[in-house]
Amino acid sequence: MKKILILGINFHPESIGIGKYTGELYAYLSASGHNVRIVTAPPYYPEWKIQPGYAAWQYKLEFWNGGEVVRCPIWVPRKPTGFKRLAHLLSFALSSFPMMLRQLSWKPDIIICIAPAFFCAPFALLTAYLCRAKSWLHIQDFELDAAINLGLLPANNLFTKLARFGENWILKRFSRVSTISDGMFFSLIQKGVAQHRAYLFPNWVDTSVIFPLPPNDETIKQDLGIPKGSLVILYSGNMGQKQGLEIVIEAARRLQFQRSLLFIFCGEGAARIGLETMAQNLENVRFIPLQPVEKLNQLLNMADIHILPQRSDVADLVMPSKLLGMLSSGKPVIGTANPGTDVYKVLNQVGVVVSPGDLNS
């Protein structure tokens, strides 16, 4: 049995994205007999709003699945763009550091840092050094590269150059570094991580939870008031800048006279308000909130076609975990990706893939 300390900004009860996977990792390690603790933030994603029952500026101790959960203060901007997002990540890194130092008396054997937020990585390293623990950095998202490619940060100013230097320096000092796709693994090697310390650790899907339902099961369609005979084109997940969802609104605009087609956007995120504004005169577009976890399988099976758009400038830096649920539902998937990317390699075998920004395919 090992004492395992996790440091990560997103965690249970967040039901999508990194928080979902960190929560499931914690639960798995605990069920395997390990003594697990986590230092994390109050749940806020993907709404970018602190969930009821939690406070943004308070420390809070909880117990979940047999271990301690320490919630740390965090600043959550309503519009997480550019330096606001950096300030958000930095606020958690600074507030979580004292809680990491408090774990020295517990003497963990392994410290796992989940990125984002990479700002936490130096504090995880220092804590591991002080208590002589092994350090493991697991990268779900290359946040610095993505921010630069999306134009949220300038590419060549002094701050960015220093950030890149610091990132590479830190990566080389963890005992192990892992990430979730082949392309991201290759990026680790390019950034100087020795191959014997780099691991591919993909995200997962529980096929006993997400699986094909009989085609006549239309319970959730009735609950959501979706007209019978509608051909549902579904996007379910975070609505942010990386997804490039504007192309889907434009596709719906071009197809608005195809009365049977209904584009449904399910989820929250920083880009949702802008997307709703773009689609305000389109009768074939509907936005619905995130559905409860117990309805997730019904939701994914509601789709006649899943859509997975993403911007070409971040295609090599992310591997959308939502693709796993789409595939597990057994429904067709149309995605946008460039040849050679991980998404392209998957969809080219099991779905339809078109070039990012291409409305004519």
Side-chain angles (χ1 to χ4, degrees), residues 311-355:
R311 287 178 50 163
S312 61
D313 43 13
V314 295
D316 290 325
L317 307 174
V318 296
M319 181 60 179
S321 56
K322 62 178 72 68
L323 176 58
L324 300 171
M326 294 176 181
L327 297 176
S328 191
S329 73
K331 296 301 181 76
V333 181
I334 299 175
T336 64
N338 290 319
T341 62
D342 291 301
V343 173
Y344 182 93
K345 293 173 185 176
V346 173
L347 286 182
N348 199 39
Q349 300 178 66
V350 298
V352 176
V353 57
V354 298
S355 298

Side-chain angles (χ1 to χ4, degrees), residues 16-328:
I16 68 171
I18 296 168
K20 171 184 180 295
Y21 291 104
T22 303
E24 291 176 0
L25 174 64
Y26 175 106
Y28 172 79
L29 291 172
S30 180
S32 299
H34 299 293
N35 194 347
V36 189
R37 295 182 179 182
I38 186 168
V39 175
T40 187
Y44 68 89
Y45 185 84
E47 298 89 351
W48 288 89
K49 182 180 180 181
I50 301 294
Q51 291 186 14
Y54 294 89
W57 299 107
Q58 292 180 357
Y59 288 98
K60 183 179 182 180
L61 176 63
E62 302 172 359
F63 294 90
W64 185 69
N65 268 36
E68 288 187 4
V69 178
V70 181
R71 305 278 183 180
C72 302
I74 189 171
W75 177 63
V76 180
R78 290 300 297 153
K79 295 183 179 180
T81 56
F83 284 98
K84 285 185 179 181
R85 187 183 292 267
L86 291 180
H88 157 74
L89 298 173
L90 183 60
S91 71
F92 172 71
L94 294 176
S95 72
S96 63
F97 183 43
M99 295 300 103
M100 291 295 289
L101 293 180
R102 287 190 65 184
Q103 303 302 320
L104 292 177
S105 60
W106 186 55
K107 296 182 179 179
D109 300 299
I110 302 170
I111 294 178
I112 302 174
C113 181
I114 310 292
F118 198 84
F119 282 135
C120 295
F123 301 135
L125 267 180
L126 178 58
T127 307
Y129 172 78
L130 293 174
C131 62
R132 297 182 180 180
K134 296 291 185 181
S135 57
W136 190 305
L137 178 64
H138 181 57
I139 298 176
Q140 289 273 5
D141 192 346
F142 283 108
E143 58 209 271
L144 177 60
D145 293 346
I148 293 170
N149 288 1
L150 288 169
L152 300 177
L153 290 175
N156 293 307
N157 71 352
L158 180 60
F159 172 82
T160 303
K161 290 178 180 178
L162 289 174
R164 284 196 183 279
F165 175 82
E167 178 188 54
N168 291 350
W169 188 89
I170 290 167
L171 285 172
K172 295 173 184 177
R173 280 156 179 79
F174 273 84
S175 306
R176 298 289 186 271
V177 185
S178 58
T179 193
I180 62 174
S181 73
D182 290 333
M184 296 171 73
F185 179 87
F186 181 67
S187 292
L188 282 183
I189 305 303
Q190 285 186 314
K191 291 175 182 288
V193 178
Q195 194 152 355
H196 70 276
R197 295 190 299 108
Y199 286 84
L200 178 64
F201 184 23
N203 287 331
W204 53 87
V205 62
D206 187 343
T207 55
S208 67
V209 175
I210 307 298
F211 54 88
L213 293 175
N216 59 351
D217 187 341
E218 296 197 347
T219 305
I220 195 167
K221 285 187 176 182
Q222 296 170 2
D223 293 343
L224 295 172
I226 295 173
K228 279 190 175 183
S230 296
L231 193 151
V232 173
I233 303 170
L234 176 66
Y235 174 82
S236 177
N238 178 50
M239 300 181 198
Q241 288 183 292
K242 287 184 293 187
Q243 285 73 34
L245 290 165
E246 296 81 5
I247 191 176
V248 182
I249 301 295
E250 184 55 35
R253 190 181 311 280
R254 294 190 182 189
L255 295 169
Q256 60 184 309
F257 300 111
Q258 301 287 334
R259 298 296 184 184
S260 63
L261 299 183
L262 181 60
F263 290 78
I264 294 182
F265 292 79
C266 176
E268 303 292 340
R272 175 165 169 162
I273 294 175
L275 294 169
E276 288 179 313
T277 300
M278 289 179 63
Q280 59 185 348
N281 296 320
L282 297 176
E283 295 183 1
N284 62 339
V285 176
R286 183 180 298 184
F287 289 82
I288 62 175
L290 280 173
Q291 298 300 296
V293 173
E294 57 270 19
K295 289 188 176 182
L296 178 59
N297 194 35
Q298 283 186 313
L299 173 74
L300 295 177
N301 274 271
M302 177 182 74
D304 293 290
I305 299 173
H306 288 288
I307 48 176
L308 182 67
Q310 62 174 350
R311 287 178 50 163
S312 61
D313 43 13
V314 295
D316 290 325
L317 307 174
V318 296
M319 181 60 179
S321 56
K322 62 178 72 68
L323 176 58
L324 300 171
M326 294 176 181
L327 297 176
S328 191

